[in-house]
Amino acid sequence: MSTEVTKPANFIRHIIEADLKSGKHQSVQTRFPPEPNGFLHVGHAKSICINFGFAQDYNGQCNLRFDDTNPAKEESAYAKAIAEDVKWLGFEWSGEVRHAADYFDKLYAYAEELIQKDLAYVDELTAEEVKAYRGNLTQPGKNSPYRDRSIEENLDLFRRMKAGEFDDGAKILRAKIDMASPNMNMRDPAIYRIKRQHHIRTGDKWCIYPTYDFTHCISDALEGVTHSLCTLEFEDHRPLYDWVLDNITIDCHPQQIEFSRLNLEHTITSKRKLNQLVTDGLVKGWDDPRMPTISGMRRRGFTPFAIRDFVMRTGVTKKVHTVEMSVLENSVREDLGDNAPRAMAVLNPLKVTLTNYPEGKIEELNAPNHPQNEAMGQRTLYMSKTIYIDQDDFRESANKKYKRLVLGKAVRLRNSYVITCDKVIKDNDDNIIELVCTYDEKTLGKNPEDYKPKGVIHWVSETHSKPATVRLYDRLFNIPNPGSAEDFLSTLNPESLIVLSNARVEMSLANAKPEDTFQFEREGYFCADRFEHSSDNLVFNRTVTLRDSWAKIEAQDK
Ligand code: ATP
Ligand code: MG
């Protein structure tokens, strides 16, 4: 197996190394803080690799913390899937899984501390008024008429908010910062709202909930986070992150560092839009192999190594960019090219009868599991009188470029003999239904002396092959940037899934376990479906196509 992802230098690594060198920190503590409101996607994989990866590189720790401050949207099924994804990617969090909700009591106490310091107040402007008072990027905001309440009054009102005396939305607790700040986030941001909502973890204990900005920095500090790594959209929130921690009694002040999000062409990295694909039934669930979710990529056959490798190749910078899908696919190909055993599968079978092959004879032929890696061993192929080749690998007539089987010409069967096509049998509608061929018994592992076969094709024997369903997956969207389309659903690729239900696969694949990956020679990389594949019902998903199957395979068979 591939072992280590490269560790390129980047600005976050520089900061961490400088902090360790100067003694600012003795060790590294990071966290990955997903909101459990959907499945994780490839963008989150980047955040996971960065947070867990840096902790790992410097013998530090990374926490998994669910940012569950928004009770309406969260579901425990998502939390479970997220934890599974993190583990599958190859990371371990430190200690128990944490939840922002675990800190609700402490957060409440810190809010009271801000009130005591006259740094927070209870406002009762309506939501529209709050918005109007806030001003905009060119105009400063105005102070709320409730801004100058006494500390005692604020404390009393906040406690009564907590006790459930007021209606949802009737009052909010705001930090008292600066309504004229050029940074809108500093214009007295809300830190607590009244919301009568059941919370998965705290039940009905609370009817007030802290905002993300107030919760996140304090949760980080309570966990002793040294470097709070997040995406660029939080850059403008950093002054607030620092303001809160500077104004409460807490002895840890993590450094927030922002990096650019991972955007991938031909896909979408927004949980809201992914959710829409699922709820509208446009894909078969969050883990549909076409989805850019971690569980979708897993089901598609992408490996944790390939995903980690891809993410690190895209770099850790502040530059906003969109990565081509081929970069991800290449990481997958490279890993599977090295590690996936080879096998033969005929996706659209065409029957071939070898007239001169003895009736009832079965010959066992050895084939390497990997042409470049002997350690991966060998498998047995079974030669018989009736075999199948792919419909695409035969033409009645063809030009010189067509290096497969042609009527009257010869071709090599991969790991087996050279055959020549003598006759084509058709049905009443002129469809080719069978080929009548002869095999050359002197050509096992040897080239014929007096003629030259045109190319090498794959095959399976009729007696020693199994029926299988093969699902060919392609890009989910037709355009590079579906997220920017007015209606992203109109850019779905109608051919993102083609199901072939008559495929036949070589005998060795009958033992494939769910999630095993293979290179089906000349066809691409495939994996046994994680949920639907079993020994009685073989189901393979195409992970990614082969780049250049031809040149290589021919060289090997000579
Ligand atoms: P979405 O926009 O898909 O809903 P989110 O940012 O709201 O994503 P969170 O659950 O809050 O999702 O994300 C957890 C962490 O993953 C955050 O620190 C966030 O910055 C990071 N993250 C989310 N999307 C990406 C991305 N495309 N690239 C890198 N990191 C990301
Ligand atoms: Mg978020």
Side-chain angles (χ1 to χ4, degrees):
M1 280 279 155
S2 312
T3 48
E4 248 185 89
V5 175
T6 40
K7 293 175 190 164
N10 58 58
F11 78 105
I12 298 182
R13 205 178 278 290
H14 285 310
I15 295 174
I16 292 177
E17 286 180 1
D19 288 348
L20 291 172
K21 199 163 163 220
S22 72
K24 179 177 175 192
H25 298 299
Q26 265 60 55
S27 63
V28 173
Q29 172 74 57
T30 56
R31 85 289 168 265
F32 173 61
E35 187 180 351
N37 63 345
F39 279 54
L40 298 181
H41 53 63
V42 62
H44 295 113
K46 174 166 185 172
S47 181
I48 292 172
C49 290
I50 288 178
N51 281 294
F52 284 92
F54 280 125
Q56 216 169 49
D57 289 352
Y58 298 97
N59 292 321
Q61 306 276 357
C62 180
N63 296 348
L64 173 60
R65 182 203 315 143
F66 288 115
D67 158 28
D68 53 358
T69 46
N70 192 351
K73 289 197 289 178
E74 285 134 20
E75 272 183 37
S76 48
Y78 291 140
K80 200 169 151 236
I82 290 171
E84 192 178 344
D85 286 346
V86 171
K87 275 198 217 152
W88 178 76
L89 271 180
F91 296 108
E92 255 177 72
W93 51 86
S94 149
E96 298 287 303
V97 173
R98 334 261 161 149
H99 299 83
D102 298 343
Y103 308 131
F104 280 172
D105 286 317
K106 288 184 177 148
L107 289 162
Y108 178 83
Y110 284 122
E112 283 209 354
E113 183 183 345
L114 288 180
I115 296 174
Q116 302 273 14
K117 291 178 169 165
D118 201 17
L119 290 173
Y121 62 99
V122 173
D123 199 357
E124 45 201 274
L125 290 179
T126 63
E128 294 78 58
E129 287 166 332
V130 168
K131 208 169 154 214
Y133 274 71
R134 239 177 130 216
N136 54 41
L137 287 174
T138 50
Q139 301 226 306
K142 278 196 309 197
N143 284 354
S144 160
Y146 304 100
R147 199 177 197 258
D148 293 319
R149 289 193 212 266
S150 69
I151 290 173
E152 291 67 37
E153 194 185 355
N154 278 317
L155 211 48
D156 174 60
L157 286 171
F158 187 49
R159 287 178 182 167
R160 288 165 57 197
M161 277 168 66
K162 178 182 180 234
E165 284 190 31
F166 310 114
D167 288 344
D168 284 15
K171 296 188 171 33
I172 55 172
L173 183 70
R174 300 178 73 173
K176 196 186 268 192
I177 309 179
D178 177 6
M179 288 305 290
S181 170
N183 182 339
M184 299 290 285
N185 295 305
M186 298 299 269
R187 294 187 187 173
D188 291 8
I191 58 179
Y192 264 92
R193 299 180 196 284
I194 307 175
K195 241 190 278 185
R196 280 177 181 73
Q197 237 147 22
H198 189 81
H199 190 286
I200 334 176
R201 294 189 64 81
T202 55
D204 296 312
K205 175 173 173 193
W206 296 90
C207 63
I208 55 171
Y209 288 98
T211 56
Y212 175 84
D213 280 326
F214 184 66
T215 308
H216 194 73
C217 53
I218 297 177
S219 306
D220 279 352
L222 289 170
E223 292 178 10
V225 166
T226 53
H227 302 86
S228 178
L229 312 175
C230 62
T231 37
L232 277 182
E233 70 271 23
F234 294 104
E235 197 165 29
D236 288 347
H237 296 241
R238 187 179 351 120
L240 178 54
Y241 186 105
D242 290 333
W243 183 92
V244 171
L245 295 180
D246 284 342
N247 286 293
I248 60 172
T249 312
I250 199 159
D251 54 9
C252 172
H253 192 135
Q255 181 183 1
Q256 177 179 305
I257 306 170
E258 310 85 17
F259 59 89
S260 56
R261 290 173 87 88
L262 171 65
N263 301 309
L264 190 59
E265 280 188 355
H266 292 281
T267 195
I268 265 173
T269 46
S270 143
K271 274 187 270 186
R272 188 179 57 76
K273 287 181 177 158
L274 294 174
N275 195 0
Q276 195 180 341
L277 294 175
V278 176
T279 45
D280 290 1
L282 298 165
V283 292
K284 296 178 187 122
W286 283 96
D287 60 6
D288 186 300
R290 290 167 291 181
M291 289 283 269
T293 50
I294 295 178
S295 53
M297 293 190 288
R298 172 177 185 179
R299 200 162 168 198
R300 174 88 169 247
F302 289 15
T303 60
F305 175 84
I307 296 172
R308 296 197 309 263
D309 176 62
F310 160 69
V311 160
M312 293 328 282
R313 278 185 201 202
T314 64
V316 181
T317 67
K318 281 186 182 282
K319 217 171 85 203
V320 177
H321 65 311
T322 303
V323 183
E324 283 173 36
M325 184 63 98
S326 60
V327 181
L328 172 57
E329 289 174 348
N330 278 336
S331 287
V332 173
R333 272 191 199 103
E334 263 180 41
D335 187 27
L336 295 180
D338 289 346
N339 298 304
R342 275 38 175 177
M344 291 199 284
V346 174
L347 305 190
N348 294 296
L350 173 60
K351 185 173 174 180
V352 175
T353 304
L354 304 171
T355 47
N356 61 338
Y357 198 90
E359 191 76 50
K361 177 174 174 181
I362 305 285
E363 221 174 323
E364 296 192 1
L365 305 172
N366 282 334
N369 284 329
H370 194 292
Q372 282 93 40
N373 186 353
E374 263 182 48
M376 286 174 74
Q378 297 210 324
R379 65 198 202 273
T380 306
L381 300 174
Y382 300 85
M383 189 64 193
S384 60
K385 188 173 180 73
T386 307
I387 62 167
Y388 292 99
I389 65 168
D390 201 280
Q391 288 167 16
D392 268 354
D393 285 337
F394 175 77
R395 286 201 197 152
E396 286 180 87
S397 61
N399 67 18
K400 280 189 179 162
K401 283 194 194 146
Y402 186 76
K403 296 193 169 164
R404 314 182 201 183
L405 186 58
V406 178
L407 180 59
K409 305 252 165 69
V411 78
R412 174 173 290 283
L413 299 177
R414 175 84 166 137
N415 295 307
S416 179
Y417 298 97
V418 173
I419 62 169
T420 300
C421 182
D422 305 317
K423 195 174 139 197
V424 176
I425 300 178
K426 296 184 179 176
D427 66 11
N428 293 337
D429 299 325
D430 220 27
N431 298 312
I432 299 173
I433 52 167
E434 187 181 337
L435 304 179
V436 178
C437 300
T438 43
Y439 88 110
D440 182 342
E441 65 175 346
K442 296 193 294 289
T443 55
L444 196 59
K446 277 199 296 265
N447 277 332
E449 278 163 19
D450 42 358
Y451 62 99
K452 210 167 179 279
K454 256 314 202 47
V456 182
I457 62 172
H458 59 283
W459 58 283
V460 295
S461 95
E462 182 180 53
T463 46
H464 288 74
S465 62
K466 290 269 179 191
T469 300
V470 172
R471 304 194 283 212
L472 303 180
Y473 291 103
D474 203 349
R475 290 168 190 186
L476 188 51
F477 295 96
N478 272 330
I479 62 167
N481 190 357
S484 70
E486 206 168 298
D487 170 19
F488 81 104
L489 297 178
S490 69
T491 70
L492 280 166
N493 172 8
E495 286 172 10
S496 60
L497 169 59
I498 294 171
V499 180
L500 304 174
S501 40
N502 295 317
R504 294 199 73 90
V505 299
E506 68 169 67
M507 212 54 193
S508 70
L509 289 173
N511 302 321
K513 303 271 173 305
E515 301 204 83
D516 281 354
T517 52
F518 302 92
Q519 185 195 94
F520 287 176
E521 296 196 73
R522 299 181 59 239
E523 294 291 1
Y525 295 98
F526 290 76
C527 74
D529 189 75
R530 185 175 167 205
F531 300 115
E532 287 162 33
H533 170 94
S534 68
S535 54
D536 320 317
N537 178 38
L538 309 186
V539 181
F540 294 96
N541 300 332
R542 182 169 72 196
T543 309
V544 64
T545 53
L546 293 174
R547 208 170 357 201
D548 179 17
S549 54
W550 289 95
K552 266 193 199 160
I553 285 189
E554 292 199 340
Q556 289 156 21
D557 250 272
K558 287 273 156 64

